[in-house]
């Protein structure tokens, strides 16, 4: 009995002292100017995981050391997307899927650390895999257990960036606008940055206000169609889409979607247009892919018609969609007014921008700096966000 009591006391002492040591570490770290952070991004395209090891102050400085994209296997993608078709998410199913996603994150993060021989860093900043997003109901579910990741790598993990924004009336997305602002300030303050990930979103400055919002679907629809028709992850260079014709009936239904009547800023779940993908699956594969590309093109053109774009002189594309040669060529043909670039032209890897972004906003979170504003997520006022996890405890939380 005494031995058991002694063991319990020692364990309690270990937990309490470790907790306060970690809290002290956080307080000390918050005084630092530059942080070495590993940003981990699992995007709405659900095709893989992006990892970026950077040094940043979360304000004006970022230096990229190592970064890489890891593609999921066909089986891994199918397992993730199968889960999306479930209309309700019971806790036991979420827990089971969370474990699977977390194991994928640990698998590829371990591979990254070994490959680049990264041994010393301050934090891991983790986005989590978004599986459901409905800010009107104040719900945004991201999978990826930060506590488990922290325990595995014996370091603090910053995560859960969207919750505080949604709690304060925001959309919870796009959450990385301040990193996009940093890039535009460096490259061209009169440009609009358009990210073609699973969902398309933009960032620009208009009348001294920095504005960001989702604008429509991007790679998610095309990738889902490729998996359905060809059992492939994506349509490389848009070659298969280029062989098809636009289905005007389905495109016109898309244009009438209520999303386009909503005011900016606004956000999307990757399945908001799932009712149309059902229709696309009933037509010829190449026509379906071509039509889905024009969903994205219309979304961008719809943005450019708005007053907030009246002062721009350049469109800079980032995200996986920038590699779709068919999409970019068709867009250039229809829009010859602006200079069109890709982020890679300015020394940034467009595949890894979001991983850099989460490393950057992780440091902003540590420093209590804004992650979102009324003009980026429709939140009531500028707010920060994110939790710091250490093994099995939340050691720091933003109210």
């Amino acid at each position: 009995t005494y031995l058991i009591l002694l063991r319990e006391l020692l364990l309690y002492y270990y937990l309490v002292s470790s907790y306060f040591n970690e809290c002290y570490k956080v307080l000390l770290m918050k005084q630092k100017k530059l942080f070495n952070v590993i940003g981990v991004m699992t995007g709405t395209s659900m095709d893989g995981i992006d990892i970026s090891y950077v040094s940043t102050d979360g304000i004006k400085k970022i230096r990229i050391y190592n970064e890489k994209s890891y593609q999921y296997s066909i089986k891994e993608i199918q397992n993730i997307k199968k889960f999306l078709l479930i209309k309700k998410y019971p806790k036991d199913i979420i827990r089971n899927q969370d474990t699977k996603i977390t194991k994928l994150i640990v698998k590829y993060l371990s591979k990254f650390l070994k490959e680049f021989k990264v041994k010393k860093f301050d934090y891991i900043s983790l986005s989590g895999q978004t599986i459901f997003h409905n800010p009107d109901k104040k719900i945004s579910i991201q999978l990826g257990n930060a506590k488990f990741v922290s325990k595995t790598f014996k370091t603090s993990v910053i995560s859960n960036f969207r919750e505080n924004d949604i709690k304060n009336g925001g959309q919870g997305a796009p959450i990385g606008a301040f990193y996009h602002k940093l890039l535009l300030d460096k490259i061209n303050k009169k440009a609009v940055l358009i990210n073609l990930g699973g969902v398309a979103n933009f960032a620009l400055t208009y009348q001294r206000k920095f504005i960001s919002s989702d604008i429509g679907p991007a790679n998610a629809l095309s990738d889902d169609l490729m998996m359905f028709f060809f059992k492939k992850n994506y349509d490389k260079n848009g070659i298969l889409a280029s062989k098809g014709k636009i289905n005007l009936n389905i495109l016109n239904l898309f244009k009438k979607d209520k999303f386009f009547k909503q005011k900016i800023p606004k956000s999307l779940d990757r399945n908001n247009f799932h009712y149309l993908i059902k229709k696309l699956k009933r037509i010829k594969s190449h026509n379906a892919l071509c039509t889905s590309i024009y969903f994205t093109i219309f979304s961008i053109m719809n943005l450019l018609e708005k007053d907030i774009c009246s002062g721009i002189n350049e469109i800079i594309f980032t995200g996986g969609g920038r590699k779709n040669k068919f999409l970019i060529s068709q867009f250039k043909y229809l829009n010859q007014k602006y200079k069109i670039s890709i982020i890679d032209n300015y020394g940034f890897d467009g595949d890894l921008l979001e991983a850099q972004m989460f490393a950057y906003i992780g440091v902003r979170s540590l420093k209590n700096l804004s992650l979102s504003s009324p003009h980026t997520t429709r939140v009531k006022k500028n707010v920060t966000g994110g939790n710091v996890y250490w093994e099995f405890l939340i050691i720091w939380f933003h109210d």
Side-chain angles (χ1 to χ4, degrees), residues 162 172-177 201-202 212-214 266-267 371-372 376-377:
R162 304 177 194 275
I175 202 65
N201 56 61
F202 80 93
S212 184
S213 176
D214 287 348
K266 52 190 174 181
S267 64
L371 300 190
S372 52
T376 64
T377 64

Side-chain angles (χ1 to χ4, degrees), residues 25-55:
K25 174 186 168 186
V26 169
L27 289 173
L28 285 179
M29 293 288 279
K30 287 174 74 176
Q31 305 305 315
K32 285 183 65 172
K33 291 183 178 180
L34 287 170
F35 295 80
N36 292 328
V37 186
I38 296 177
V40 183
M41 171 65 178
T42 52
T44 49
S45 293
M46 299 184 177
D47 57 353
I49 184 167
D50 303 327
I51 304 174
S52 187
Y53 176 39
V54 310
S55 173

